[in-house]
Amino acid sequence: MKDFKTLFSVIIIISYYLEYGEGQKILSIKDFILKTNHTIIDYSQAFHEAWKGLCEDETPNGSALVIRKNETYTLQPLIFRGPCVSSKIHIQIDGKLEGPRKPIYWKNTEKKSWLGFRDVEGLVINGSGVLNPHGEAWWKSVSHSKRPTTISFESCTDIIYNGLTQINSPKNHISIYGCTNATLSNLDISAPEDSPNTDGINICLSHKIQILDSSIQTGDDCVAITGGRGGSSDINITGVACGPGHGISIGSLGKDDETDDIVENVIVRSCSFTGTQNGARIKTWQGGQGLAKNILYENITLIDAGYPIIINQHYFDKSNYLKYLLGI
Ligand SMILES: *[C@@H]1O[C@H](CO)[C@@H](O)[C@H](O)[C@H]1NC(C)=O
Ligand SMILES: *[C@@H]1O[C@H](CO)[C@@H](O)[C@H](O)[C@H]1NC(C)=O
Ligand SMILES: *[C@@H]1O[C@H](CO)[C@@H](O)[C@H](O)[C@H]1NC(C)=O
Ligand SMILES: *[C@@H]1O[C@H](CO)[C@@H](O)[C@H](O)[C@H]1NC(C)=O
Ligand SMILES: *[C@@H]1O[C@H](CO)[C@@H](O)[C@H](O)[C@H]1NC(C)=O
Ligand SMILES: *[C@@H]1O[C@H](CO)[C@@H](O)[C@H](O)[C@H]1NC(C)=O
Ligand SMILES: *[C@@H]1O[C@H](CO)[C@@H](O)[C@H](O)[C@H]1NC(C)=O
């Protein structure tokens, strides 16, 4: 009996190490709540403090912030800024992070994303948890240019984002902007078919991005890749099940008469489109300039897809039509 207990505890310790990054110090949000404010109900400040703990860790293995299955936190928009001292930052999310239930309860609404990571290198976000900012409350009442993205990575390098479920983003679910070397995998993203501008993943001005083995059900593009000023290249999308949604799209390119919107070296492999408006799609605006080069869609399954392959060089986003007519 005694021997059995010893063996059991050894197994637990080993599984911990495997799950949360080898040799990392484990941090919990609760530690930071006590430090900041006992009566706190908005956990944003605690997350802000925890981020400092992760980012400023000088030990070679860095730290892991762990949000366990039984933990749920409501958060206001937050920006997690680098550059960091630590080059090994791990955030394990097995619990739930939620946004305030109605837009009027959101503070800092000028922030373009709910959870924003900027200038961070070597970040791992992993886990079986859920990000739910309750975007459904935004869709009808707030115009899309004023709605936040759920999670964004801006000017980040060497990023791993794995395993999470994302529900009902106010706007696009994930934004990768100005990043190099990111792998997003095993994600489950969902919003209703009629939710407006709720793209799954937007990639802009980024290089060496992989999106693997994920399911995306939404009201707009499952993935959309644009160049921005500087271009996007080396994008690998493998094993994505899209639908409902508007497909996996290059573009729209050349919006607002851009002159150098370039996307090149894109491979979309072993993906399926089920009940989608489109499948393989390239869309460019009239008036803009740029290039979509070396784009390969391979081993694609299309089931009930409206336009399985569509290349549109005169794209017009209906939600912008009125603005266009009014010249604003
Ligand atoms: C993410 O966690 C799973 C176990 O939950 C583990 O198998 C995997 O290696 C982890 N990935 C990273 C990048 O930490
Ligand atoms: C760092 O992690 C390694 C395992 O990868 C471990 O052997 C080492 O003791 C850790 N270092 C510290 C300072 O915790
Ligand atoms: C703690 O939070 C409560 C509720 O938000 C607030 O009223 C109080 O002023 C805070 N106290 C400190 C020391 O920040
Ligand atoms: C969550 O579960 C852990 C054990 O896995 C326990 O120590 C902790 O107190 C629980 N937290 C809450 C908020 O129930
Ligand atoms: C890309 O990022 C991953 C994860 O941090 C890292 O293991 C890998 O070495 C990086 N690749 C390059 C070419 O830097
Ligand atoms: C894309 O990623 C898959 C899965 O990691 C890999 O097997 C494949 O070689 C990659 N393709 C390219 C062109 O990088
Ligand atoms: C083609 O894609 C399907 C998923 O849609 C996958 O199960 C299958 O293994 C892929 N075949 C090849 C040859 O890559």
Side-chain angles (χ1 to χ4, degrees):
M1 194 58 186
K2 205 175 174 211
D3 284 351
F4 178 75
K5 268 191 190 156
T6 313
L7 180 63
F8 191 62
S9 67
V10 167
I11 288 169
I12 289 189
I13 288 163
I14 291 169
S15 73
Y16 248 60
Y17 271 51
L18 290 180
E19 237 180 318
Y20 304 140
E22 269 181 274
Q24 289 188 314
K25 187 169 80 187
I26 306 291
L27 308 178
S28 160
I29 282 298
K30 284 189 206 108
D31 307 334
F32 297 95
I33 294 166
L34 294 179
K35 267 189 224 158
T36 54
N37 191 335
H38 289 270
T39 59
I40 205 159
I41 43 159
D42 165 11
Y43 294 97
S44 308
Q45 186 60 27
F47 271 78
H48 184 73
E49 296 296 325
W51 174 253
K52 277 202 234 162
L54 293 173
C55 184
E56 290 167 14
D57 190 333
E58 292 178 355
T59 62
N61 290 339
S63 311
L65 172 66
V66 178
I67 295 142
R68 295 182 197 286
K69 261 199 168 61
N70 58 357
E71 295 176 51
T72 298
Y73 300 111
T74 297
L75 299 179
Q76 292 290 345
L78 281 169
I79 294 185
F80 302 100
R81 259 181 228 284
C84 291
V85 176
S86 174
S87 59
K88 288 186 179 172
I89 300 176
H90 188 124
I91 302 181
Q92 180 75 23
I93 306 176
D94 291 319
K96 262 193 205 165
L97 302 183
E98 300 194 340
R101 300 262 165 170
K102 288 183 179 170
I104 51 162
Y105 302 143
W106 285 57
K107 296 172 193 161
N108 314 318
T109 41
E110 82 286 355
K111 297 220 174 12
K112 288 185 176 155
S113 46
W114 179 45
L115 307 174
F117 292 86
R118 300 254 172 93
D119 297 305
V120 184
E121 197 182 322
L123 172 70
V124 175
I125 301 180
N126 192 13
S128 57
V130 179
L131 305 184
N132 184 0
H134 294 287
E136 65 279 3
W138 292 76
W139 298 332
K140 279 190 185 145
S141 59
V142 183
S143 80
H144 103 268
S145 62
K146 289 188 177 149
R147 287 185 247 140
T149 296
T150 296
I151 184 166
S152 68
F153 300 93
E154 201 176 317
S155 307
C156 292
T157 39
D158 302 348
I159 303 298
I160 291 177
Y161 183 60
N162 177 63
L164 281 98
T165 294
Q166 287 189 220
I167 300 170
N168 291 0
S169 184
K171 199 169 68 177
N172 58 319
H173 288 76
I174 301 174
S175 174
I176 312 269
Y177 186 90
C179 295
T180 304
N181 187 26
T183 300
L184 289 75
S185 51
N186 301 302
L187 303 175
D188 186 347
I189 296 173
S190 66
E193 187 170 6
D194 61 355
S195 58
N197 302 95
T198 52
D199 285 353
I201 303 169
N202 289 161
I203 300 169
C204 183
L205 193 60
S206 294
H207 309 278
K208 299 195 175 112
I209 309 297
Q210 304 203 67
I211 300 175
L212 311 173
D213 305 325
S214 294
S215 153
I216 305 175
Q217 308 171 36
T218 190
D220 206 322
D221 291 322
C222 288
V223 181
I225 307 161
T226 53
R229 302 197 177 278
S232 287
S233 64
D234 303 312
I235 315 290
N236 179 349
I237 302 173
T238 299
V240 169
C242 168
H246 294 186
I248 294 183
S249 307
I250 311 299
S252 55
L253 300 181
K255 197 178 173 189
D256 303 325
D257 296 330
E258 273 174 30
T259 54
D260 49 5
D261 214 346
I262 296 171
V263 174
E264 57 190 335
N265 305 340
V266 177
I267 181 160
V268 180
R269 181 182 278 146
S270 303
C271 292
S272 66
F273 297 92
T274 309
T276 50
Q277 192 188 77
N278 315 287
R281 183 188 200 193
I282 300 177
K283 47 178 170 170
T284 65
W285 285 76
Q286 58 283 16
Q289 284 172 38
L291 197 62
K293 183 179 156 190
N294 197 14
I295 314 290
L296 174 69
Y297 288 78
E298 189 177 72
N299 183 29
I300 300 301
T301 304
L302 295 147
I303 301 165
D304 192 20
Y307 297 95
I309 299 171
I310 180 165
I311 299 176
N312 183 349
Q313 293 184 285
H314 196 93
Y315 179 67
F316 217 82
D317 183 354
K318 282 197 208 78
S319 61
N320 283 325
Y321 188 65
L322 195 62
K323 278 193 191 167
Y324 178 83
L325 287 180
L326 297 171
I328 55 173

